[in-house]
Amino acid sequence: MAAAVGGCLSAPIYAQTAAQVDPKIHKLCIEAKDYAGCVRAMQGETMPTTRQINSQGADIAEGNECPSGWAYIGGGNCMEVKCYYGHWSYRTLGHDSRVAGKPGWGCPHDFWRGAGVMRLEGNSRASMNTNCPKGEPQIGYNSTCQTSLSRELESVK
């Protein structure tokens, strides 16, 4: 049996393999990077594929809380809520719409610089807090605890 030379099969093995393949399939697959895979596919042989997911923190449907000072933006992701002062461009843009008007968010008024503007920065994954209701937080809230508290307060009004 011939050995692999420089990462490629030597001619005798290739010729032996090609001889066992239908000439039409051989002609279609000769230029393929994965000759054997092409031949198997053309012959209708299928191999089951598996998908492996490596989690880092909570999966999309698992996270129900962002880190403190961060707001949920969907898809299992959170962004940090930051206050910016003074520069006209921040005032022109206004608060980020995902957190504007949501309970728990706001910029303290600064005597010298005036009102701050909330903007979102950075990226973090949501994590699980067993003390909060299961599920995904609403956009702009920190957690499902904050979301459920907000709903309770609205129902009391």
Side-chain angles (χ1 to χ4, degrees):
M1 186 176 243
V5 178
C8 297
L9 292 176
S10 61
I13 290 180
Y14 177 77
Q16 179 185 6
T17 305
Q20 298 169 353
V21 175
D22 181 317
K24 292 177 188 174
I25 293 175
H26 172 72
K27 188 174 182 179
L28 289 169
C29 293
I30 192 72
E31 299 284 329
K33 289 184 179 184
D34 179 10
Y35 178 82
C38 177
V39 170
R40 282 193 302 273
M42 297 303 283
Q43 291 174 340
E45 294 177 26
T46 58
M47 296 176 63
T49 57
T50 59
R51 182 174 179 213
Q52 182 177 358
I53 300 172
N54 295 322
S55 295
Q56 293 181 351
D59 285 335
I60 291 173
E62 291 179 10
N64 67 351
E65 181 179 60
C66 294
S68 180
W70 293 61
Y72 188 73
I73 60 165
N77 295 300
C78 307
M79 291 183 80
E80 186 174 13
V81 180
K82 290 196 162 205
C83 292
Y84 289 95
Y85 295 90
H87 196 271
W88 65 268
S89 64
Y90 294 124
R91 288 190 301 260
T92 303
L93 293 172
H95 296 301
D96 189 293
S97 62
R98 293 170 285 189
V99 291
K102 303 275 182 10
W105 300 122
C107 294
H109 188 272
D110 182 272
F111 180 76
W112 299 107
R113 298 180 292 171
V117 177
M118 293 182 292
R119 305 303 301 160
L120 299 179
E121 290 185 357
N123 192 31
S124 179
R125 296 290 293 166
S127 61
M128 278 303 289
N129 180 343
T130 55
N131 297 321
C132 292
K134 289 182 180 180
E136 189 177 22
Q138 287 184 347
I139 304 295
Y141 288 88
N142 176 265
S143 67
T144 55
C145 285
Q146 187 186 32
T147 302
S148 63
L149 177 62
S150 176
R151 285 182 183 154
E152 287 176 25
L153 291 174
E154 286 177 7
S155 67
V156 172
K157 289 181 182 178

